Amino acid sequence: MLLLAMDTATPAVTVALHDGEAVVASSEQVDARRHGELLLPAVDRVLKEAGLKLDAVTGIVVGVGPGPYTGLRVGLVTAAAFSSALGVPVHGLCTLDGLAYASGIDEPFAVATDARRKEVYWARYDDSRTRLTDAAVDRPAEIAERLAGLPVVGAGARLYPEAFPDARDPEHQSAAALAALAAERLAAGEGGFLDPLPMYLRRPDAQVPKNYKVVTPQ
């Protein structure tokens, strides 16, 4: 097994290689505006670090979100392209599950990432491997009471400390954790993988104007 994992659903552009037993190379860069520029160089970097070629990969792992429209699509399109070129499967995972797994928390908690527009993407967990709710998007104040007393992992907790006073690490997504979670599930013969399709939860920020002015000659 050699899994190439990537996630661009958050400001972190992250890539990792996992050989079924451990992470052999990884890369994390936090830049919310350069997903397209940073992802492929990061893939090249982890392959070089591991001393491997792309054709050694046996599966792709990709975070499907939730996340903003443009950044999320970069990782999913790249994963689909590698899958097609190599003839290997793509295993989709909820981005929030990667953060939960990386936390190692073995008691009830939540994960919250920045959804912009003063909102967070979030979900509740029973432990680092078990999600209890579907991912959702809400304003922090609207869910503060529901998550009261729970640790909250992720950048969303740090952005809104008044709603989530018990913020926990990690702050940013790591493809290393996503790859380790996928390898664990594959080794155990478990399902739980998602189709490699974007989990948006709301409409894109960019909209076509409803009443735009026609400027072409009549």
Side-chain angles (χ1 to χ4, degrees):
M1 180 189 299
L2 183 66
L3 300 176
L4 173 63
M6 62 189 72
D7 196 314
T8 59
T10 72
V13 180
T14 178
V15 177
L17 285 169
H18 196 290
D19 65 4
E21 296 183 359
V23 173
V24 295
S26 64
S27 171
E28 287 87 31
Q29 296 168 278
V30 178
D31 191 327
R33 298 182 181 276
R34 299 177 62 215
H35 295 87
E37 297 175 49
L38 297 175
L39 182 58
L40 289 178
V43 172
D44 289 340
R45 191 160 53 250
V46 298
L47 287 168
K48 183 177 181 180
E49 181 182 335
L52 297 167
K53 301 291 187 181
L54 184 60
D55 59 10
V57 170
T58 61
I60 309 294
V61 179
V62 65
V64 303
Y69 184 84
T70 304
L72 177 54
R73 287 173 62 89
V74 170
L76 287 165
V77 169
T78 303
F82 284 151
S83 171
S84 178
L86 299 172
V88 300
V90 181
H91 307 291
L93 286 172
C94 176
T95 293
L96 304 181
D97 290 355
L99 283 156
Y101 186 83
S103 76
I105 297 175
D106 60 2
E107 61 183 355
F109 69 103
V111 172
T113 61
D114 182 18
R116 303 176 186 173
R117 301 186 192 176
K118 299 182 180 180
E119 295 178 327
V120 294
Y121 297 119
W122 69 280
R124 288 187 61 165
Y125 291 79
D126 193 37
D127 56 49
S128 61
R129 292 174 172 80
T130 310
R131 179 158 42 86
L132 298 175
T133 64
D134 290 335
V137 59
D138 288 289
R139 289 184 177 272
E142 294 171 349
I143 59 173
E145 185 174 344
R146 296 166 64 182
L147 302 183
L150 294 179
V152 182
V153 170
R158 298 182 183 280
L159 281 171
Y160 304 101
E162 68 284 354
F164 313 120
D166 189 4
R168 302 283 183 92
D169 289 333
E171 180 177 358
H172 295 294
Q173 173 69 312
S174 165
L178 207 66
L181 175 59
E184 184 177 289
R185 290 184 178 179
L186 288 168
E190 297 178 5
F193 292 106
L194 304 173
D195 291 334
L197 300 172
M199 186 188 297
Y200 290 131
L201 301 187
R202 70 182 184 204
R203 295 179 64 82
D205 291 338
Q207 301 284 333
V208 176
K210 293 181 179 179
N211 299 309
Y212 59 88
K213 183 182 294 185
V214 177
V215 296
T216 54
Q218 299 295 322

